[in-house]
Amino acid sequence: MAPSMISLALFVLLVVGSANAQLTTNFYSKSCPKLSSTVKSTVQSAISKETRMGASILRLFFHDCFVNVRCDGSILLDDTSSFTGEKNANPNRNSARGFEVIDNIKTAVESACPGVVSCADILAIAAADSVAILGGPTWNVKLGRRDAKTASQSAANTNIPAPTSNLNTLTSMFSAVGLSTKDLVALSGAHTIGQARCTNFRARIYNETNIDTSFATTRKSKCPKASGSGDNNLAPLDLQTPTSFDNNYFKNLVNKKGLLHSDQQLFNGGSTNSIVISGYSTNPKSFSSDFAAAMNKMGDIKPLTGSNGEIRKNCRKTN
C-alpha cells in the first residue's frame, strides 16, 4: 500500500474510532481527578437547602436521555434564534428544574479543570449523586459523553413518556431507546422521590377506579376537580417516604396508591405485575441493583463521543 493510502487508512481509523469511543468509568481520572468530589459537594449543598432538588436533578437526566435517544445535555440549552429548546416542551414546562444547580456544578468543575468535562457527563454524575445522597444505591457512572450542539422541543414533546401513558405505550417507548420491560419498571422506581403537579394526576384521582379511595380523597384535598384550579399544587409521588430513595413506591402500587396513571399501570393486571410484587415491593436489594444497572444502561445509549458534539463552556448555550 502506498504511503498516502496508509495515511488515509490511519486517518479514517482514528476518526471512526474516536467517534465510536465507548464510555468508561475512569474517563477523567487524569484530566480532571477532582471531578467526583467537586460535583458531589455541590449536589449535597443543593439537596441540603431543598431535599426535593435531588429528585429534580434525577428527572432532568431522564428527560435528557429520552430526547434524540441519547444523554447529551440538550435539555440544558436555552432557546436560540436557530432552534427552540426543550425547557418549554410539554413534559418540562413549569416542571423541569435544577438548571441553576447544574450551572453551579459547571462553574466549579471549570475552575478545577477548564474545558474538559461535558455538561452531559456533569448531569449524569449529579443524578447518581442525588440518588446516593437520598439513601439509594451507588454505581460507577460511565463517562466520556460530549454535548449536543442543538436541542429539539418537538422531540421532547414526542419522546418523553407522559404521565397518562398506558403500559403498552410505556413499554414501546422504553423499547425504542433500547430499554427492556424490566428496565422500565426499575427506572420508574425513581418516583420513590419527588413530587407531581395536580394537573398530571387530576384525571386519575377523580376518574379512575383502580385507586385506593382514602388515598384519592387525600389527594383531592389539594387538587380541585376543575381544570385550571390548583394545577401546580404538588403532591409526593411516594406518600410514605417522599424524600428517601427506597422501594416504598412499589409497595404503594400494590396497594393501588400510585399517584400517576403511568405509575399504576405497572401494577394493573399486566405483564409487569410480577416484577412489582415479587421483584421490587418485597426485595429492596433487587430493586437497588436493577435500578443502578438500568441507569448505566440508559446513560450508555448512543452517546456523542470522540469528535462529535462539543464540550460546552456554559451548559445553557453552545460554544
Side-chain angles (χ1 to χ4, degrees):
M1 185 182 291
S4 60
M5 292 298 290
I6 294 174
S7 299
L8 177 61
L10 180 59
F11 173 77
V12 170
L13 179 63
L14 288 172
V15 170
V16 173
S18 65
N20 295 312
Q22 297 298 305
L23 304 184
T24 63
T25 57
N26 62 350
F27 188 82
Y28 298 107
S29 59
K30 292 183 179 179
S31 60
C32 194
K34 294 182 179 179
L35 175 61
S36 178
S37 59
T38 301
V39 176
K40 189 165 188 177
S41 64
T42 309
V43 174
Q44 180 71 70
S45 176
I47 292 177
S48 295
K49 292 175 183 175
E50 183 194 8
T51 311
R52 181 189 172 202
M53 189 54 70
S56 297
I57 292 172
L58 179 59
R59 185 169 181 261
L60 276 185
F61 183 63
F62 273 94
H63 284 209
D64 184 40
C65 294
F66 266 79
V67 179
N68 300 326
V69 201
R70 62 168 59 98
C71 315
D72 58 8
S74 60
I75 194 173
L76 305 174
L77 289 169
D78 290 336
D79 295 350
T80 71
S81 57
S82 59
F83 64 80
T84 302
E86 299 161 24
K87 292 182 178 180
N88 284 308
N90 292 333
N92 298 326
R93 188 171 54 251
N94 296 323
S95 64
R97 57 199 301 275
F99 298 106
E100 70 286 351
V101 177
I102 303 303
D103 291 339
N104 292 340
I105 297 171
K106 180 64 172 174
T107 298
V109 170
E110 284 295 302
S111 178
C113 40
V116 172
V117 184
S118 68
C119 297
D121 275 348
I122 284 174
L123 183 53
I125 301 169
D129 285 342
S130 295
V131 171
I133 290 167
L134 294 176
T138 60
W139 62 93
N140 293 320
V141 181
K142 295 171 73 174
L143 303 168
R145 301 169 191 81
R146 288 167 64 85
D147 295 321
K149 295 181 180 180
T150 187
S152 173
Q153 185 176 102
S154 60
N157 283 330
T158 303
N159 298 337
I160 297 173
T164 54
S165 300
N166 61 30
L167 183 57
N168 287 339
T169 299
L170 291 169
T171 302
S172 63
M173 291 185 80
F174 273 69
S175 177
V177 297
L179 296 171
S180 67
T181 301
K182 182 175 159 184
D183 295 328
L184 158 66
V185 181
L187 290 172
S188 295
H191 284 179
T192 186
I193 54 175
Q195 303 189 56
R197 294 183 299 144
C198 164
T199 187
N200 287 327
F201 60 83
R202 176 183 282 122
R204 169 154 168 74
I205 62 175
Y206 284 101
N207 302 333
E208 297 184 11
T209 56
N210 62 338
I211 187 169
D212 179 85
T213 53
S214 63
F215 171 70
T217 299
T218 299
R219 294 280 71 91
K220 288 175 183 178
S221 65
K222 291 187 178 180
C223 184
K225 188 172 185 178
S227 179
S229 177
D231 283 2
N232 292 323
N233 290 351
L234 298 171
L237 287 158
D238 168 10
L239 80 165
Q240 303 294 334
T241 50
T243 59
S244 295
F245 200 98
D246 53 32
N247 70 326
N248 277 333
Y249 165 81
F250 298 104
K251 295 178 182 179
N252 293 334
L253 298 186
V254 173
N255 292 317
K256 298 184 179 180
K257 294 179 180 180
L259 184 63
L260 304 178
H261 175 82
S262 56
D263 288 328
Q264 198 59 56
Q265 282 289 293
L266 301 180
F267 191 78
N268 193 40
S271 60
T272 53
N273 267 34
S274 60
I275 303 175
V276 171
I277 197 163
S278 61
Y280 300 152
S281 69
T282 58
N283 194 334
K285 288 186 178 179
S286 178
F287 164 53
S288 290
S289 61
D290 286 355
F291 180 83
M295 283 290 286
N296 253 337
K297 185 177 177 181
M298 180 174 68
D300 212 12
I301 301 167
K302 297 182 182 178
L304 293 174
T305 58
S307 57
N308 294 319
E310 64 181 10
I311 304 297
R312 279 186 229 141
K313 297 174 183 176
N314 180 333
C315 291
R316 293 176 180 264
K317 60 184 182 180
T318 60
N319 296 339

